Amino acid sequence: MTQTLPCSVQVDWKTTTGASRTTLTTHLWTAPPLRRDSPIHDKAFDALRSLDADLVRFLPWFSHPRLAVAELTPPTESETSWNFDLLDPIVEDFVAAAGGRPIVANFATIPAWMFRTPETVAVSADPNEIHWDYEQGTELRDPTLNEIADYFYRVASWYIVGGFTDELGRRHESGHRYRFAYWEVLCEPDLGHRISPELYTRLYDAIVERLRPLDPEMKFIGLSLSHVHHDPEYFWHFLDAANHRAGIPIDAFSYHFYAAPEIVNPFSAEGNAPYSSWRDIFFAQADGFIEQVRYIESLRRRLAPDTRTFINELGTFPADVMNPEPEIPDEYWALSAAVQSYLWARLVGIGIDLVGIAEFMDYPGMIPGTTLLDWETGTPNLRYRALALLLEHFGPGDQSVTTVTGMPGMPDSRVHAQGFHTVSGERKILLVNKTADPITVAISGDTPDIGHLAQIGAATTDAPSTATLSESSFALDGFATAIVTY
């Protein structure tokens, strides 16, 4: 039932508050359901192609080392283990689905043998097996960093310039000549190997110095910090040019955010926070994250004003985040979609350069609550639908205008609203219902009489629902991401 009290939204179309500089996108890691022998392979890549998103990020991830690491064992005096047979098909399909749009490469995983460990890190012969323990060790085998820089140079050479010469002087030819708009150096180095800000900065410099000659137009992204602990020292140290080698660019830096309920047992629903509390937790954490972003942006403006900010993983976790048989309520997907749409709108207002909705493909045992596709059918879910809706209606260059909800000085926290003059010349209002219940909104301001409403929410089963509006009041679905176009 629609809530009794409507939400008032006032839009001042004459007063602009800023211009969007935000690229909205997603990222795709080397998930086994994206392999060519998967029954959902074709449908998944068709969904990626349909997004028409710029700067989609490709991320071979350590959890599946046979799909992510091109040299699984160290070279000997007579042989090397270089092998791209499993990685290449996913890269090729990803590049094809991008359709010539700019893309981001992050071949993130450092081979485990490059770290000192008590025993050799075992890797299953099954490429689909999950290896949460692959990232072991904190001390590098080669403290000069040349070994790691050489590894990434050879991986990049394989994809950018058609091949490389290995440690034994043997040539490996790929035939690939891909262009990457950005190369991101490692992913979440603050986890796993617990790489310090000082060591990470040295690694970044060493890798960038080796890769730059391969494509002088390719730019670089640093940090890629996890959501677990945004240690300010990473930003202070990395963004200070004085801590880098002369001439090394800091084109962009990145970090991540996932809202999550209280997690006691990641492998089961038992003992975790009930779903009834997730909505409040998610939006409270989202607001807390926005304050973190403002702080981080203040550091960037002072230390590296020309460096771009990429928040390239953004999503939510259900409580049983690694459960091989997850218990995810149906309503979760609309809630998660509303959180990501709300955060995107807030980050546009702050001036963030890129927002990446995580993750394109996940499945039980591999953080299933972040997926944009159904892992069994490949069908886009509500998180995908909300992302696609925003991509269809908004983009860089749109002018935001003064928009408020509720009464002066007392905003209505149930709905987030933001009006835009879009590059296409239309007036649009983004509305996010932050509650599970349908709610009536009443638009006021110099707004045309006829509008068009498109929304996805708790009542959506497939494509967004649409309606022609002839009145200023209308209903939003529970957890709706809605756009009104005039």
Side-chain angles (χ1 to χ4, degrees):
M1 180 178 294
T2 303
Q3 296 181 8
T4 303
L5 295 176
C7 173
S8 172
V9 177
Q10 302 93 41
V11 184
D12 179 358
W13 296 104
K14 297 179 180 179
T15 305
T16 59
T17 56
S20 172
R21 55 193 289 178
T22 306
T23 296
L24 180 61
T25 190
T26 186
H27 85 268
L28 174 152
W29 66 278
T30 44
L34 298 176
R35 299 181 66 195
R36 288 178 179 169
D37 60 357
S38 165
I40 69 169
H41 169 276
D42 292 354
K43 196 166 185 178
F45 279 101
D46 284 345
L48 179 63
R49 187 176 294 107
S50 295
L51 279 178
D52 284 334
D54 288 340
L55 298 178
V56 176
R57 172 171 166 255
F58 181 76
L59 177 68
W61 186 233
F62 78 88
S63 61
H64 293 76
R66 290 198 179 274
L67 302 178
V69 179
E71 192 180 25
L72 277 172
T73 59
T76 67
E77 292 182 356
S78 60
E79 63 182 15
T80 66
S81 62
W82 286 102
N83 189 320
F84 291 84
D85 290 350
L86 297 178
L87 181 56
D88 261 6
I90 305 179
V91 177
E92 292 165 3
D93 294 343
F94 169 78
V95 173
R101 292 180 175 272
I103 53 180
V104 176
N106 185 347
F107 293 82
T109 307
I110 300 173
W113 55 266
M114 293 187 180
F115 287 85
R116 298 191 183 280
T117 56
E119 298 179 354
T120 300
V121 177
V123 176
S124 169
D126 180 2
N128 296 338
E129 185 171 327
I130 300 169
H131 293 67
W132 285 121
D133 61 347
Y134 184 73
E135 285 195 328
Q136 296 185 34
T138 58
E139 182 184 356
L140 292 173
R141 191 175 88 154
D142 172 23
T144 71
L145 311 185
N146 290 332
E147 190 168 66
I148 289 178
D150 287 347
Y151 171 79
F152 286 110
Y153 173 77
R154 291 186 172 108
V155 171
S157 296
W158 178 262
Y159 289 111
I160 296 173
V161 296
F164 62 89
T165 300
D166 69 18
E167 296 92 332
L168 303 182
R170 297 168 182 165
R171 185 69 185 169
H172 299 254
E173 299 286 346
S174 69
H176 300 309
R177 299 280 176 174
Y178 298 140
R179 298 290 301 277
F180 301 115
Y182 287 88
W183 186 285
E184 188 173 36
V185 178
L186 308 186
C187 181
E188 300 188 344
D190 49 327
L191 300 182
H193 300 299
R194 302 287 182 178
I195 296 173
S196 69
E198 294 80 10
L199 178 56
Y200 176 80
T201 300
R202 289 179 57 220
L203 279 166
Y204 174 89
D205 287 2
I207 293 168
V208 170
E209 192 167 73
R210 293 286 278 129
L211 268 59
R212 287 181 77 187
L214 297 174
D215 181 355
E217 295 185 6
M218 184 168 68
K219 298 182 183 299
F220 294 91
I221 307 166
L223 290 186
S224 192
L225 295 177
S226 79
H227 66 291
V228 176
H229 43 69
H230 287 153
D231 182 353
E233 190 57 34
Y234 281 100
F235 304 106
W236 277 109
H237 191 85
F238 179 78
L239 292 175
D240 188 343
N243 295 322
H244 291 266
R245 298 181 188 178
I248 296 296
I250 313 173
D251 297 308
F253 74 108
S254 58
Y255 55 98
H256 309 153
F257 171 74
Y258 294 90
E262 184 177 58
I263 298 174
V264 176
N265 182 359
F267 297 97
S268 168
E270 184 178 358
N272 296 321
Y275 174 74
S276 59
S277 70
W278 292 8
R279 176 264 176 194
D280 293 345
I281 292 171
F282 285 178
F283 280 107
Q285 290 180 359
D287 287 333
F289 174 64
I290 290 299
E291 296 310 308
Q292 285 184 310
V293 172
R294 292 187 187 281
Y295 171 69
I296 294 167
E297 281 298 281
S298 73
L299 299 183
R300 180 196 62 80
R301 285 192 296 269
R302 286 158 178 78
L303 294 170
D306 296 327
T307 298
R308 306 181 78 196
T309 302
F310 289 3
I311 299 176
N312 54 9
E313 292 189 28
L314 188 154
T316 63
F317 288 166
D320 54 343
V321 64
M322 296 178 185
N323 190 352
E325 298 181 359
E327 299 180 24
I328 304 177
D330 291 342
E331 298 86 353
Y332 164 83
W333 303 103
L335 166 60
S336 183
V339 173
Q340 74 193 37
S341 297
Y342 170 68
L343 278 169
W344 168 82
R346 297 292 306 274
L347 294 170
V348 168
I350 294 173
I352 299 305
D353 295 283
L354 179 143
V355 172
I357 304 302
E359 296 177 325
F360 189 73
M361 182 77 250
D362 284 299
Y363 58 96
M366 282 302 303
I367 318 179
T370 63
T371 191
L372 298 179
L373 304 181
D374 185 295
W375 52 81
E376 294 181 347
T377 67
T379 302
N381 63 24
L382 293 185
R383 300 189 68 239
Y384 176 103
R385 301 289 184 193
L387 168 61
L389 190 65
L390 295 179
L391 282 167
E392 178 186 352
H393 288 272
F394 301 109
D398 293 345
Q399 299 281 330
S400 58
V401 299
T402 299
T403 312
V404 296
T405 62
M407 297 184 294
M410 299 185 67
D412 190 330
S413 62
R414 296 173 298 171
V415 173
H416 181 78
Q418 180 59 61
F420 293 92
H421 290 293
T422 65
V423 171
S424 62
E426 297 172 303
R427 297 180 182 183
K428 293 180 184 284
I429 306 173
L430 168 71
L431 299 160
V432 179
N433 182 358
K434 296 162 65 178
T435 77
D437 299 317
I439 187 170
T440 297
V441 296
I443 308 293
S444 62
D446 184 18
T447 301
D449 295 332
I450 302 296
H452 180 81
L453 172 67
Q455 65 175 318
I456 70 99
T460 305
T461 58
D462 190 6
S465 62
T466 61
T468 299
L469 302 177
S470 58
E471 297 181 355
S472 61
S473 297
F474 52 91
L476 295 180
D477 289 343
F479 294 133
T481 295
I483 293 140
V484 180
T485 302
Y486 297 104

